[in-house]
Each structure stands twice: as structure tokens, then as C-alpha cells.
Amino acid sequence: MISVEDALEIILSKPGNCGTEKVSLQHVLHRFLAEDIFADRDSPPYDRVMMDGIAINSSALSTDQPNIFFIESIQAAGDTQKILQQNHHCIEVMTGAILPVNTDTVIPYEQIDIIDKRAFSKQSVVPKKHIHRQGSDHKKDALALQKGKRLTAADVGLLAAMGVVRVPVFGLPKIAIVATGNELVTVETIPESHQIRMSNVYSLQAALQLDCIDADIVHINDDEATLFSQLSEIVKNYDVVLISGGVSKGKYDFVPAILEKLDVQKLFHQVAQKPGKPFWFGHHPVLNTQVFAFPGNPVSTFVCFHFYFRQWLFHSFGNGLKLPLVQLSEAITASGALSQFIPVKINSHDNNVSATLNNGSGDLFSLAVTDGFIYLPKGEKTHPAKTMFSFLTIN
Ligand code: AMP
Ligand code: MG
């Protein structure tokens, strides 16, 4: 049995590679950038008027007499650049417009009265104000978005501003989610008293959608011949196989032996953690398929998916999944031999986290009131309130 840290290191040593592709701007949310993106022009690209009002040349300002400016013309946003003809005149300007030639100061409408095509300044004017200078946000060729970044909605806006219509992103792995177990029936079925509906495949399929992956679902009974023939095809046809169930010590837990028969090399079996101890991970060296075989208990499957698979996915795209630190509300005692993933909820009153009551690794009900898990390293110890722990979100 290996430690959580060693298991993770082994998994991250086998990153996936599904190439790159260009995807239209409307479909890149949460995809991972495959190239650095540089600014195609300065931002703002021109001296941009920041207030509706008038633009003047500050050399015409006088301190001893009232400032009155004859209005020559109007510069609206989207108009080509106008030229102020007479230094002591002005041009009406609108927010977003290019600053007219021969002007350097904007006076907002709030600070002037306009009577008969003349603008009367009501207060002293500060030169050079209300102009968003060309290139003051960033210069042409500045690094805008870094390769490996998981694109947010704000990034999509930035890509649009820079005219990136087809975005270079990493290709996504083709994934099969396999449920094993004779007791499992489909969601549509009314289960007999000895049966349960399979839920893991749906929770994993849904979780994968957050990373833009549409995975296929397969159910296989605990039968050696069927497992062999079906898994053989699946290992050939997919980049990643996520299996739930069949990896423990039961008489019908055939998955590890079958995978090895299929030349999927075992990299470890069993991790010193709770929940999720029977986790098996392997790699097919020729087909380059990764197999994550999680224990079937719904909470175990879910924790292993989020901690191991998701870190593997991010790592494959050159992006470390961030596990932020959170602070405990109450003291918590870690058990000796196993590291623990404790389900917690974020308290709205102080933003600390409290352990959620749960009934063990099969308790899906408890997940509904859980925001994520904290990771408690092994070693018998009471961690006092306010201790900081890594937080694994399950949004
Ligand atoms: P196993 O790891 O196969 O020993 O399964 C452990 C427990 O998880 C058993 O009670 C199974 O019935 C349950 N289980 C296995 N697979 C699923 C699944 N896909 N959905 C819900 N529960 C499952
Ligand atoms: Mg089973």
C-alpha cells in the first residue's frame, strides 16, 4: 500500500497527450490554451475619451477670465478622428471616442453649460483629465494569456478583444466510464430488493462536463469473460478508462487481474487513504491508455476522481490544479494509518469549513450538503480549530 503523495506522483508521471486543436471562441470556456496569446495591438488602441463632454487644448485655458469654448463639431464613438481647428475652440466628445487631434483634455458635461454653441466652464479645469491613454492597459505584443491556462469567461472576452476567432486549445481525452457490479441497474429501472441503481457513472459523467468532456458510460457485470472482452475493446478505443467497483478483496472483484491480463501495467493497488483505499491505477504502455479503477462506493469514487483524475487532467495540459487552503472551524482528529479526505461545508458566517456529518463512503446524501473535501495527512493527531488544510472543491 502506498501513500497518497506517492500515488499522486506516479499518476502525474503518466500525463496524457491528445494533441491540440482550434476551437471557435464560443466553445472554449474551460478549455486549456495550447499556445501563448499575445496582444495584437495596444489597449486602448487609441487615446480614448472617458467621459461625455468636450475636448479642448489645455494651452487655451485661462486662469483670470472665464473659459468659454466655441463648439466646432462632435466626435462620437466610432467616428474617424476629427481635428480641432482653433486652439481656443472645442469639440463635443462622447465616451469611447478617439480623442480629436489638437486636444489633450476632456471636460465632462457636468462641469459646463452649453448656450448657443458655446461651452461655459463652471469650475477650474484640470488639464489632461478623462483620457484613457493609448497602451496604458497593455502594449501590442504583451503576453495576454499563457499556454496551459484554463479559459474563464473573462478570458473569452479578452480573446474576442484581440480578434482570436479560432482558439488553439489542447485536445480532450476520449473517456469511458465503466460501472461494474451485478447489483447495478439502470436509472430507469425499478430495482428489485437486492439491486441498486448505478449512480457513480452519472456523477462522473456530470463532473467531466465541467472540463468539457463528454464521456461514454458502460455497465459490465462481475463476470470474468465479459469483463475481459468488453474491457479489451474499451482499453483499445479510449484514452482514459474510469472504472468504478470491482477492485477490492471480494470474490468477484475481478478488475485488477483482468486489466493485467489485458497488458495494462499496474502502477499501484491500494492507497493509504480513507475513503478510497482499494484504488488501482495502471497504464497500457503501447496503447497509452490510462486506467483509473476506483472503488465502487459513491463517495470513494467521487473523492478519487476529484483528487487523482482531475489533477492528472490539469497536469496533462501543463496546468497545476490549485487546491486552496481553508481554515477549520472546529478541532478535528486524524486517524493514525490512513490519510483522510473529510467532507466539509463552507460556513457562511465566517467562511471557515466544518466537517459534514456522513455515514461513510457510500453516503451520497451527505455529498448533497458538502462543498468539498479537506485533505488530512496520516498520523494520529488532533488538529486544533483554525488549522489550514488543502481544499478539494466538488462544484
Ligand atoms: P465494490 O467496489 O464493487 O466492492 O462496490 C462497493 C460498493 O459500491 C457496493 O455497495 C456497490 O454496490 C457500490 N457501487 C459500486 N458501483 C456503483 C455504482 N456505479 N453506483 C453506485 N454504487 C455502486
Ligand atoms: Mg462490485
Side-chain angles (χ1 to χ4, degrees):
M1 189 154 62
I2 63 170
S3 68
V4 168
E5 291 72 20
D6 289 347
L8 184 63
E9 195 180 319
I10 290 170
I11 289 172
L12 298 187
S13 74
K14 299 283 177 214
N17 181 0
C18 297
T20 63
E21 59 180 329
K22 295 239 173 170
V23 171
S24 75
L25 188 62
Q26 280 106 326
H27 297 104
V28 291
L29 182 67
H30 294 173
R31 296 291 300 265
F32 292 80
L33 258 189
E35 289 171 22
D36 289 336
I37 303 285
F38 298 93
D40 68 327
R41 59 204 294 231
D42 289 348
S43 177
Y46 48 83
D47 286 342
R48 188 181 72 91
V49 171
M50 290 172 72
M51 297 287 283
D52 300 320
I54 56 169
I56 58 144
N57 187 315
S58 59
S59 68
L61 287 170
S62 135
T63 42
D64 50 1
Q65 46 190 315
N67 283 300
I68 305 167
F69 306 95
F70 175 76
I71 300 172
E72 285 184 2
S73 59
I74 298 182
Q75 173 90 61
D79 286 351
T80 53
Q81 193 177 27
K82 305 221 157 128
I83 302 169
L84 184 70
Q85 305 294 339
Q86 301 282 332
N87 255 16
H88 58 286
H89 288 176
C90 74
I91 293 178
E92 271 187 89
V93 289
M94 306 301 138
T95 303
I98 186 169
L99 189 73
V101 177
N102 199 26
T103 67
D104 63 3
T105 299
V106 171
I107 311 174
Y109 278 135
E110 292 80 349
Q111 296 175 17
I112 55 173
D113 287 323
I114 295 180
I115 302 161
D116 244 358
K117 290 208 80 181
R118 277 180 170 69
F120 294 76
S121 163
K122 296 193 282 189
Q123 59 193 74
S124 67
V125 176
V126 186
K128 315 275 168 85
K129 281 276 278 186
H130 307 302
I131 298 161
H132 191 184
R133 289 286 170 195
Q134 176 172 348
S136 61
D137 290 349
H138 62 73
K139 298 283 186 212
K140 179 177 189 297
D141 296 329
L143 178 64
L145 293 166
Q146 208 162 9
K147 178 179 173 179
K149 177 141 207 269
R150 185 174 189 253
L151 295 168
T152 63
D155 297 336
V156 172
L158 182 53
L159 288 164
M162 293 184 302
V164 185
V165 185
R166 308 270 304 159
V167 185
V169 291
F170 284 109
L172 298 170
K174 195 175 166 209
I175 299 187
I177 308 170
V178 179
T180 68
N182 294 356
E183 75 279 30
L184 304 179
V185 294
T186 61
V187 184
E188 301 79 18
T189 308
I190 308 282
E192 304 280 342
S193 56
H194 57 285
Q195 296 175 323
I196 60 162
R197 293 194 185 93
M198 62 184 100
S199 58
N200 292 345
V201 284
Y202 295 101
S203 56
L204 296 194
Q205 192 181 46
L208 284 166
Q209 284 169 7
L210 283 177
D211 292 317
C212 311
I213 296 171
D214 279 324
D216 294 328
I217 288 177
V218 183
H219 171 224
I220 312 178
N221 275 331
D222 295 317
D223 172 78
E224 283 179 281
T226 322
L227 276 165
F228 184 85
S229 63
Q230 294 214 38
L231 283 179
S232 157
E233 287 306 306
I234 291 168
V235 168
K236 264 186 230 142
N237 293 324
Y238 290 87
D239 302 306
V240 176
V241 187
L242 304 177
I243 302 177
S244 86
V247 290
S248 303
K249 295 222 182 293
K251 276 240 155 58
Y252 305 101
D253 290 330
F254 299 127
V255 169
I258 300 283
L259 287 170
E260 288 196 63
K261 262 197 205 158
L262 292 169
D263 297 326
V264 182
Q265 285 176 359
K266 177 181 94 174
L267 295 175
F268 61 78
H269 188 192
Q270 295 203 325
V271 185
Q273 68 175 61
K274 190 180 168 193
K277 189 169 118 192
F279 176 29
W280 187 102
F281 176 74
H283 166 79
H284 195 299
V286 179
L287 300 167
N288 200 22
T289 310
Q290 328 293 339
V291 182
F292 295 76
F294 304 133
N297 273 311
V299 180
S300 310
T301 306
F302 210 57
V303 163
C304 288
F305 170 88
H306 279 89
F307 187 76
Y308 295 107
F309 169 78
R310 210 145 179 263
Q311 295 206 64
W312 173 85
L313 184 74
F314 276 57
H315 179 72
S316 299
F317 300 133
N319 180 324
L321 177 64
K322 292 189 189 91
L323 300 186
L325 292 176
V326 292
Q327 185 167 282
L328 271 179
S329 278
E330 307 89 14
I332 198 162
T333 301
S335 72
L338 303 177
S339 299
Q340 282 170 278
F341 292 96
I342 309 276
V344 293
K345 67 174 164 40
I346 299 165
N347 305 323
S348 50
H349 61 278
D350 60 2
N351 283 327
N352 290 349
V353 299
S354 296
T356 49
L357 289 177
N358 74 93
N359 220 355
S361 52
D363 185 3
L364 264 178
F365 253 61
S366 69
L367 280 189
V369 292
T370 294
D371 293 313
F373 292 81
I374 53 167
Y375 174 62
L376 247 62
K378 68 177 176 218
E380 190 145 359
K381 184 175 173 191
T382 295
H383 301 276
K386 309 271 181 235
T387 310
M388 306 291 279
F389 286 102
S390 297
F391 179 69
L392 191 62
T393 180
I394 58 165
N395 53 14

